[in-house]
Amino acid sequence: MLKFVIFLWKFAVGTVLCLTPLSAILVIGWTARAMRRRSALAWYRHSGRHTASTPFRTFAATRTAHAHLAAWPNWILGQAPGAMRAAAAAQGLGARAVPGLWLRILAGSLWENFRTGLQVLLNTWTLTLPAGALWLMSWWGGWENSFNKGYEQAFVGPGVALAGIAMFVTALFHVPLAQARQASGGQWRVFYGFAFVRALRRHGRFGIAKLALRYVVAGAVLAALHAAPLALGGYLDGQEELSAQQRTNIAALYHLITAAAVFAMFVWLRLAAAILYGEAVLRALHARAITRSDLSALEQGLLEDLDIDTSLDETRPNAVIRAVQVSGRSIAALTLTAAIAALWFALAAETYIAQFLNHRWLSWINHAFVQIPWLG
Amino acid sequence: MDRRGFTSGLLGAGALLAGPAPLFAETDPTPVRTPYGGPNVIVIRFGGGVRRRETIDPDHTYSPYLRHVLARRGTLFTNMRIASQEGIVTSHAQGTLYILTGRYDRYVDVEARIFSERYEPKAPTIFEYLRKVYRVPRHQALIVNGEDRVNEDFLTFSTDHLYGVDYRSSVLSLHWFKLYLVRRRLRENRVSARERERLEKQLAELEARNYRPDAPDRQAPRLQDFWRRWRRHYGDSGLVNPRGDRLLTELSVRAIKELRPRLMMVNYQDPDYVHWGNLSHYTRAISIIDQGIQRLVETVEADEEYRGNTVFVVVPDCGRDNNPLMEVSCQHHFNSRSAHEIWALVAGPGIARDVIVDRPVEQIAIAGTVAQIMSFGADQSEGEVLAECFA
């Protein structure tokens, strides 16, 4: 029962925070912390420590360094206050450190959610905002030109739009895994490890395709929510007997339902990316495509504690079978890459369709599942 | 035998009875038709879908000439509606047909294709009624269309077997100019083989736009002359003439001066650009139409034959949404209450001046009202006559 109440609390807060773009930054950070926990859980399930009698939360709670992963992240209160006090005591911190410790206990998660969320968002923007800007300018400029019947430069609007879509698709080959890596590693710089993410892609293509498909499915729901005011508002316009307050209430209910759906799907997608990241890291370690030193200190420590065997698989097939496997893998890899590109393109197309039905300028530069979980 | 076969057979039989004259020559299909003495009527479709707020609301209008000047010279119906019934659609082609025929008929694409709006008027249009009663040649019964809705170029006659293609109106539009131009260029010897091939392909594409097998794809000689002068003035490129709804104004002004139409309908359209989300396209387009109306009125007043002898009827094809939940509240016109709310303005000789009528009236009243102004019967029209507008 307590767990259910806690779940309701966390879900309600997440929903309310998704009502504005500024507060939604906290959701990005909170979700990143949940992603860190989820990828750790994915590793735990591969480790020898994993038993039915020792669930992950028990394992994490008994280790000071990983105590913050034992439970879902808090919105406001510091994570694992007991571990914080123990760590402070172990360091022999004096009375002067007590106010700071209490601040971290009472509001540590609030700060962590904001700090992490802002870092993730700024990183995501560097790779996705230019594409969104091109979408916005191509839509505005293209239709402005069409309205004025500028036949001579009719190609500009569609051309810029296609360039923006190409940038978006290219960026999404990197961004979801990079977000997961930043969440897991706890460092903003690792977002820009392009070689690392490329290596993970090679060892997680099918998982990436599944993730992209999830994005498209969630994106379709998002597009429907985006377009819903067309029907709902039309209905409200026809109901003359409704008072102004009743109309306001209905509008507020729509925004609340949308925020709840956006929050749920945002978390669902990001956790799926975290699982994919965790699995891909292990496969890449096994294949020696990456090494433990490529990981953050947090991740290295966790792998050490989990005692996961990441040694190279020494059994290799003969040369002929290897050649067949390699060529087959190349064809499969190309096919999967094309499929992933098509899925990211579909995500972009959903935005265009939704925008035609209910145009919002900011929706060109913000996708609720890629950037800020807010529909506007 | 299908409907098209029946109509063709009827026309053929009529040709035999009429004698050896060619089927589509400028001969009277009906033995007795009197000359038309006036007044001329110019129907302006304030189209693309507009709300009352941005047009006739004096405090929020983007069409100040219409609202503050022309409305004072005529009768403004502030509460005109498109009926809210099954099968009635608040859109452009449908609204145009409701205006032209005076009926809320249900329209489906001729081949039932989705998102295709190739319609055939099911009842006679006001042009057919006029030309059956009066000796008005085709070049004086005009529809002026924009370039974005070519299908509306073929709403010129109905499928009614007592009216139809012999009483059709003619169309002034870029589509018809292109047809004229391509055919002319193909007849010119200066065209290279490669260019000829391109032109022939273009001609085939243009001719394929005509989805009405009964409709001839060549216009009357007076209209060919009109296009010849247009070409001489603006050239072949299509980049020199006015564009968008300003093109319609230019075509209409030139038509008044050169073709002397007795009944003309100008189908403005550009406010519909707001579908793509930019509100300024909607308000800017309304202003452009307003300036076009002003220019048409001034052209009429500068012409001795038209001055004091021309009635303007201004009416939207449909309204637009008033959606409180959308950033652009009037982005669409998908059958909301506001999309059914329009207005009409009638101004000219014999019309009551500076009168505002706020009782509910229907869009299908326009056809019957034009019929009364021009003294012909519109027997299949179902709308009332807007009696308040007559002085």
Side-chain angles (χ1 to χ4, degrees):
Chain A
M1 184 64 186
L2 179 65
K3 274 174 116 174
F4 181 66
V5 171
I6 292 172
F7 164 78
L8 280 181
W9 157 254
K10 290 188 193 291
F11 188 84
V13 172
T15 296
V16 169
L17 291 175
C18 285
L19 287 171
T20 78
L22 207 56
S23 57
I25 294 175
L26 296 171
V27 174
I28 301 173
W30 181 89
T31 307
R33 295 168 67 208
M35 290 167 76
R36 184 180 308 156
R37 179 175 185 271
R38 194 60 190 82
S39 53
L41 175 59
W43 287 351
Y44 182 73
R45 287 185 175 148
H46 284 276
S47 81
R49 307 247 186 255
H50 177 220
T51 64
S53 58
T54 315
F56 175 73
R57 63 175 178 276
T58 306
F59 161 79
T62 55
R63 283 154 173 80
T64 307
H66 311 306
H68 63 286
L69 299 175
W72 281 80
N74 293 330
W75 285 111
I76 303 172
L77 296 176
Q79 206 73 25
M84 273 195 266
R85 282 200 295 270
Q91 290 168 31
L93 293 174
R96 277 192 185 172
V98 170
L101 176 62
W102 276 107
L103 195 59
R104 277 189 292 138
I105 288 173
L106 291 175
S109 285
L110 185 62
W111 167 246
E112 197 55 35
N113 291 336
F114 177 75
R115 187 183 71 93
T116 306
L118 193 60
Q119 286 175 346
V120 171
L121 179 61
L122 289 174
N123 281 345
T124 305
W125 271 351
T126 59
L127 295 187
T128 59
L129 212 50
L134 286 183
W135 287 2
L136 188 153
M137 294 311 299
S138 71
W139 190 263
W140 172 81
W143 287 115
E144 187 72 16
N145 185 62
S146 182
F147 176 78
N148 290 294
K149 298 290 191 283
Y151 314 117
E152 299 91 325
Q153 54 266 5
F155 63 94
V156 174
V160 172
L162 286 174
I165 292 171
M167 282 179 71
F168 179 77
V169 168
T170 305
L172 286 194
F173 271 93
H174 178 82
V175 166
L177 278 177
Q179 288 170 336
R181 189 182 182 204
Q182 180 177 352
S184 177
Q187 298 170 322
W188 67 266
R189 286 184 190 80
V190 300
F191 182 93
Y192 300 101
F194 293 101
F196 182 94
V197 171
R198 198 163 49 241
L200 290 191
R201 279 207 304 271
R202 279 200 296 272
H203 293 85
R205 271 199 191 90
F206 193 64
I208 293 170
K210 282 200 298 187
L211 179 66
L213 184 60
R214 285 183 189 222
Y215 265 86
V216 170
V217 169
V221 175
L222 185 71
L225 289 171
H226 186 130
L230 181 57
L232 183 57
Y235 165 78
L236 284 179
D237 182 46
Q239 300 302 307
E240 291 174 333
E241 68 279 8
L242 287 177
S243 67
Q245 185 58 51
Q246 284 174 314
R247 290 168 194 276
T248 303
N249 291 346
I250 292 172
L253 186 61
Y254 158 75
H255 288 299
L256 200 61
I257 291 172
T258 301
V262 165
F263 174 64
M265 289 188 288
F266 180 83
V267 173
W268 177 61
L269 289 170
R270 292 290 170 105
L271 291 185
I275 297 169
L276 171 65
Y277 171 80
E279 303 280 349
V281 163
L282 293 182
R283 276 199 292 276
L285 282 170
H286 276 297
R288 288 292 183 266
I290 59 173
T291 63
R292 289 201 182 203
S293 59
D294 292 325
L295 302 173
S296 70
L298 271 175
E299 291 170 314
Q300 290 181 46
L302 184 59
L303 278 178
E304 194 72 37
D305 279 342
L306 289 174
D307 198 25
I308 295 177
D309 180 14
T310 56
S311 58
L312 180 66
D313 184 1
E314 294 293 345
T315 59
R316 300 180 78 197
N318 68 42
V320 171
I321 293 176
R322 267 206 323 274
V324 171
Q325 284 179 339
V326 164
S327 64
R329 278 199 291 268
S330 297
I331 294 168
L334 273 171
T335 307
L336 271 175
T337 301
I340 293 166
L343 286 167
W344 292 136
F345 177 84
L347 191 68
E350 286 168 347
T351 297
Y352 274 83
I353 292 169
Q355 285 284 66
F356 167 71
L357 292 173
N358 177 16
H359 187 262
R360 294 171 174 157
W361 288 110
L362 286 179
S363 291
W364 290 117
I365 56 174
N366 183 67
H367 192 289
F369 299 147
V370 176
Q371 294 135 324
I372 304 176
W374 167 73
L375 191 50
Chain B
M1 179 188 285
D2 63 11
R3 179 185 49 76
R4 285 188 175 82
F6 174 82
T7 308
S8 299
L10 194 67
L11 287 170
L16 281 174
L17 287 171
L23 190 59
F24 297 117
E26 287 292 339
T27 54
D28 289 346
T30 306
V32 179
R33 288 192 302 169
T34 55
Y36 182 65
N40 307 308
V41 171
I42 298 177
V43 178
I44 293 174
R45 185 188 82 178
F46 205 117
V50 290
R51 294 192 301 194
R52 292 172 181 167
R53 178 183 170 87
E54 288 84 20
T55 48
I56 62 168
D57 181 338
D59 297 325
H60 298 97
T61 184
Y62 282 86
S63 53
Y65 178 79
L66 174 99
R67 186 58 187 89
H68 300 315
V69 179
L70 194 61
R72 295 238 155 87
R73 292 155 60 168
T75 304
L76 179 64
F77 294 84
T78 58
N79 197 7
M80 179 170 276
R81 297 165 190 238
I82 302 170
S84 293
Q85 293 167 18
E86 179 77 27
I88 295 179
V89 176
T90 52
S91 193
H92 317 300
Q94 290 89 338
T96 303
L97 288 164
Y98 303 154
I99 293 168
L100 281 172
T101 63
R103 295 162 60 100
Y104 287 129
D105 284 323
R106 186 173 178 170
Y107 288 98
V108 175
D109 179 75
V110 293
E111 290 176 357
R113 277 193 221 163
I114 303 172
F115 300 129
S116 187
E117 293 186 321
R118 298 169 301 167
Y119 302 139
E120 297 178 308
K122 295 183 180 182
T125 66
I126 47 178
F127 293 94
E128 290 164 84
Y129 287 127
L130 173 74
R131 293 193 64 222
K132 186 155 186 182
V133 172
Y134 295 108
R135 200 181 306 140
V136 173
R138 260 187 289 140
H139 68 270
Q140 292 185 330
L142 293 174
I143 295 178
V144 183
N145 270 346
E147 61 195 288
D148 290 334
R149 303 186 63 83
V150 176
N151 288 342
E152 289 179 5
D153 282 16
F154 304 103
L155 301 180
T156 52
F157 63 97
S158 67
T159 56
D160 190 296
H161 66 284
L162 293 176
Y163 291 85
V165 67
D166 275 347
Y167 305 101
R168 68 189 182 279
S169 52
S170 295
V171 175
L172 295 180
S173 69
L174 275 191
H175 168 76
W176 285 99
F177 173 63
K178 285 176 192 170
L179 266 171
Y180 163 84
L181 180 65
V182 169
R183 286 176 179 141
R184 270 256 81 89
R185 294 206 61 208
L186 281 169
R187 284 213 287 271
E188 289 163 3
N189 293 329
R190 307 191 283 269
V191 180
S192 67
R194 191 170 170 169
E195 178 67 4
R196 178 168 296 277
E197 194 183 321
R198 188 190 71 79
L199 287 170
E200 281 168 355
K201 188 178 170 203
Q202 188 181 3
L203 180 61
E205 286 168 2
L206 287 168
E207 288 175 340
R209 301 300 300 265
N210 185 355
Y211 59 86
R212 304 196 66 181
D214 303 335
D217 57 5
R218 285 174 196 277
Q219 294 190 304
R222 291 288 297 269
L223 289 166
Q224 305 279 337
D225 289 340
F226 178 89
W227 294 127
R228 181 175 51 77
R229 288 186 293 271
W230 179 274
R231 183 190 183 191
R232 195 168 58 210
H233 190 77
Y234 288 116
D236 291 6
S237 69
L239 302 178
V240 178
N241 51 264
R243 307 185 193 185
D245 276 347
R246 291 190 181 93
L247 168 68
L248 274 66
T249 303
E250 181 65 21
L251 282 169
S252 303
V253 165
R254 290 177 80 97
I256 289 171
K257 292 175 180 174
E258 297 178 21
L259 298 172
R260 319 300 283 169
R262 311 318 298 266
L263 176 61
M264 180 167 71
M265 183 172 188
V266 186
N267 287 336
Y268 290 114
Q269 178 60 33
D270 285 350
D272 205 39
Y273 264 94
V274 71
H275 271 307
W276 305 106
N278 191 337
L279 187 62
S280 72
H281 290 162
Y282 171 62
T283 53
R284 187 82 203 101
I286 289 174
S287 297
I288 289 170
I289 295 174
D290 189 60
Q291 290 155 21
I293 292 173
Q294 181 172 359
R295 189 165 167 222
L296 284 170
V297 171
E298 288 168 354
T299 300
V300 159
E301 288 175 347
D303 187 300
E304 202 177 316
E305 280 182 32
Y306 277 78
R307 184 172 58 242
N309 191 34
T310 305
V311 175
F312 284 89
V313 179
V314 189
V315 60
D317 47 4
C318 61
R320 290 208 86 86
D321 292 346
N322 188 24
N323 193 317
L325 295 184
M326 286 172 60
E327 204 168 280
V328 183
S329 61
C330 58
Q331 187 174 348
H332 300 298
H333 50 81
F334 296 157
N335 212 31
S336 65
R337 182 180 64 128
S338 179
H340 286 263
E341 295 175 349
I342 56 172
W343 47 269
L345 171 63
V346 187
I351 304 299
R353 292 174 68 94
D354 205 11
V355 171
I356 291 180
V357 178
D358 61 4
R359 73 171 176 92
V361 296
E362 295 289 329
Q363 189 183 44
I364 56 173
I366 295 295
T369 305
V370 169
Q372 175 129 338
I373 293 170
M374 301 183 85
S375 302
F376 60 77
D379 49 307
Q380 293 188 45
S381 161
E382 292 175 344
E384 62 169 315
V385 173
L386 300 173
E388 292 96 332
C389 74
F390 294 102

